[in-house]
Amino acid sequence: QVQLVQSGAEVKEPGASVKVSCKASGYTFTTYDISWVRQAPGQGLEWMGWISAYDGNTKYALDFQGRVTMTTDTSTSTAYMELRSLKSDDTALYYCVKEGEDSGTRYFHHWGQGTLVTVSS
Amino acid sequence: DMQMTQSPSSLSASIGDRVTITCRTSQSINKNLNWYQQKPGIAPKVLISAASTLQSGVPSRFSGSGSGTDFTLTISSLQPEDFATYYCQQSYTSTRTFGQGTKVDVK
């Protein structure tokens, strides 16, 4: 079965960077895009961007452009999301998500367990 | 930028009630609209894809409809396990967008 296993919780100071990993199994990694979605405490879902696991192409949400980098390592079926210049309002649960497709519509099919990133001095 | 307006932001309902949640987009997205359910402390789960396709394992009391700019998620008879937060999400554009969410709680 499809599994996305994310790295553990992180505590960072303002201005630092964080890199979250997402190891995929149970499917051919290069066949599907990976998106990253975050959720601040008590708030809604916020899409950050996606990466093609096939060719490494990326698309980032405007709010994160210049501050986020998404990469993949196809040899280990792992996706990474690095967020720089952290601020307190980056404190959130970060999810990696494998996309699915239905009649040409992409949707967020399989979700990782989430990685809590806390930004605090 | 695609704007999504989900309503209501919250609602209170009783077991057996029919519940309707709407999602409106700022431009036509054909049927590229998905619905998710999220319970506290758990990752979201897809219920409906492409506006109306019920995902495998999702009870038939859930249904989705709409196309263009106006979409609806309906729960025909609310069950105890349906108290949760629901999100719509568009994938028409290369930048994905979520609605603000609708929290369904006990009346």
Side-chain angles (χ1 to χ4, degrees), chain B residues 45 54-60:
Chain B
K45 167 189 169 184
L54 195 67
Q55 284 290 301
S56 174
V58 175
S60 58

Side-chain angles (χ1 to χ4, degrees), chain A residues 47 50 59 99 106 108, chain B residues 1-4 25-30 32-33 89-97:
Chain A
W47 178 79
W50 58 253
K59 182 73 174 182
E99 292 200 341
R106 299 289 190 94
F108 299 133
Chain B
D1 238 23
M2 179 75 68
Q3 303 301 316
M4 299 185 71
T25 57
S26 59
Q27 63 189 73
S28 176
I29 61 168
N30 298 329
N32 291 274
L33 192 284
Q89 175 257 323
Q90 69 82 20
S91 54
Y92 180 78
T93 64
S94 58
T95 53
R96 317 298 195 218
T97 321

Side-chain angles (χ1 to χ4, degrees), chain B residues 62-73:
Chain B
F62 291 92
S63 64
S65 65
S67 66
T69 61
D70 292 289
F71 301 86
T72 300
L73 173 70

Side-chain angles (χ1 to χ4, degrees), chain A residues 18-32:
Chain A
V18 68
K19 191 169 186 177
V20 179
S21 67
C22 169
K23 183 168 177 60
S25 61
Y27 72 100
T28 303
F29 181 67
T30 53
T31 305
Y32 296 92

Side-chain angles (χ1 to χ4, degrees), chain A residues 37 39 43-45 47 50 59-60 62 95 99 102 104-109 111-112, chain B residues 1 31-32 34 36 38 42-44 46 49-50 53 55 87 89 91 94-96 98:
Chain A
V37 174
Q39 186 168 38
Q43 302 301 307
L45 302 169
W47 178 79
W50 58 253
K59 182 73 174 182
Y60 302 137
L62 278 175
Y95 292 103
E99 292 200 341
D102 169 24
T105 296
R106 299 289 190 94
Y107 61 95
F108 299 133
H109 195 181
W111 295 67
Chain B
D1 238 23
K31 300 192 78 173
N32 291 274
N34 309 304
Y36 302 85
Q38 188 180 30
I42 300 174
V46 60
S49 58
T53 302
Q55 284 290 301
Y87 296 91
Q89 175 257 323
S91 54
S94 58
T95 53
R96 317 298 195 218
F98 286 96

Side-chain angles (χ1 to χ4, degrees), chain A residues 33-51:
Chain A
D33 297 343
I34 294 282
S35 272
W36 290 87
V37 174
R38 77 176 187 180
Q39 186 168 38
Q43 302 301 307
L45 302 169
E46 182 178 24
W47 178 79
M48 300 178 67
W50 58 253
I51 181 166

